[in-house]
Amino acid sequence: AQSGIPSLEINRFEAFPQGMVNSDLRVEGAVISEILYDPPPGGIEFVEITNISGATLALYDDTPAGIGGDPGNNWVMDGVDFVFPGNQPTLAPDERVVVIPQGVSGDAFRNQYGVPAGVRIFGDDDGFVGALNNGGEELALLRPDKPDQVPGQGIIVPMIAVDVVTYDNDALWPLGEGNSIERINEPAFGDDPVNWQTSFSDGGTPGKPNSGATGYQNWAAGEFTDQELAGGA
């Protein structure tokens, strides 16, 4: 949260009557779409976030002020220390943004990685603080709920998980040493190594569509026979 207000991360669950089938895993309007956590010498860590909602997405508490919302509280990223900068920032439909370490020049990153003009890069004074763990960690995109008054604690801002990726460098996850990992199917559940691949492009594709346009097919071809892919027994 902003302005020194303590925050609390929460998860919300909805109970169903016994025997009912669970709903599908929910994917919200923005996702972590690419991560470079272990760059080669001279490389720069980055996280790409993409708006998949089909509409302009508010990156702040857009709960109406009349019912307790605080538009001064912006979305954050956990795993590294990052708050989306600006007054009531938004993501345009299908927009991709790239977050790099604080103190790293956004212009230099753009030139090094071929990021298209117009793609926003949060670096310089607005980048993340800390570093992505090469051995794996939980990286989370969080949005603020309306502040709550908690007895004995004052005002608490609950933070709700929008997207979580618990990447790892073990055999289950695609190789992330020296190259980025990309989400193959962006609207699908992200905290699953099956939905990630090593980028086909050297250095990754920050700010551009992932090289996984055919990534699922390439992965599936290595996992299943032609008969299995065709639906045969």
Side-chain angles (χ1 to χ4, degrees):
Q2 291 72 49
S3 304
I5 300 174
S7 64
L8 174 68
E9 183 179 344
I10 64 172
N11 291 307
R12 294 186 172 181
F13 300 91
E14 183 176 349
F16 291 95
Q18 186 173 0
M20 287 191 68
V21 176
N22 289 335
S23 59
D24 291 335
L25 294 167
R26 180 177 179 180
V27 178
E28 294 206 34
V31 298
I32 298 167
S33 48
E34 187 172 1
I35 307 167
L36 178 56
Y37 62 84
D38 188 6
I44 301 169
E45 293 183 348
F46 69 81
V47 179
E48 179 191 77
I49 295 168
T50 302
N51 177 5
I52 63 168
S53 71
T56 298
L57 192 63
L59 298 178
Y60 60 92
D61 178 8
D62 60 351
T63 306
I67 58 175
D70 184 349
N73 291 330
N74 291 354
W75 288 31
V76 306
M77 202 161 39
D78 194 21
V80 289
D81 187 4
F82 175 74
V83 179
F84 279 92
N87 179 31
Q88 300 184 19
T90 61
L91 275 181
D94 303 317
E95 182 179 5
R96 298 174 187 272
V97 296
V98 183
V99 187
I100 62 177
Q102 191 173 97
V104 175
S105 165
D107 289 340
F109 180 86
R110 189 183 305 277
N111 292 334
Q112 181 173 343
Y113 283 86
V115 179
V119 171
R120 287 188 288 171
I121 300 171
F122 297 118
D124 300 286
D125 293 336
D126 293 329
F128 64 75
V129 176
L132 298 168
N133 193 324
N134 293 351
E137 69 177 312
E138 180 179 281
L139 189 62
L141 185 62
L142 307 171
R143 62 178 174 86
D145 201 358
K146 64 179 182 178
D148 291 330
Q149 182 72 43
V150 178
Q153 299 185 53
I155 297 176
I156 297 294
V157 179
M159 302 301 292
I160 300 172
V162 174
D163 194 38
V164 177
V165 178
T166 311
Y167 70 84
D168 209 327
N169 68 346
D170 62 18
L172 293 176
W173 280 81
L175 182 64
E177 181 179 349
N179 207 347
S180 72
I181 58 172
E182 299 175 321
R183 196 175 183 128
I184 296 170
N185 183 2
E186 290 175 348
F189 184 58
D191 202 14
D192 184 348
V194 168
N195 197 25
W196 290 81
Q197 67 178 8
T198 303
S199 176
F200 301 161
S201 300
D202 289 342
T205 56
K208 295 177 281 190
N210 290 345
S211 54
T214 59
Y216 172 77
Q217 290 88 345
N218 290 336
W219 168 82
E223 295 290 324
F224 304 105
T225 66
D226 291 341
Q227 185 180 18
E228 288 170 333
L229 289 172

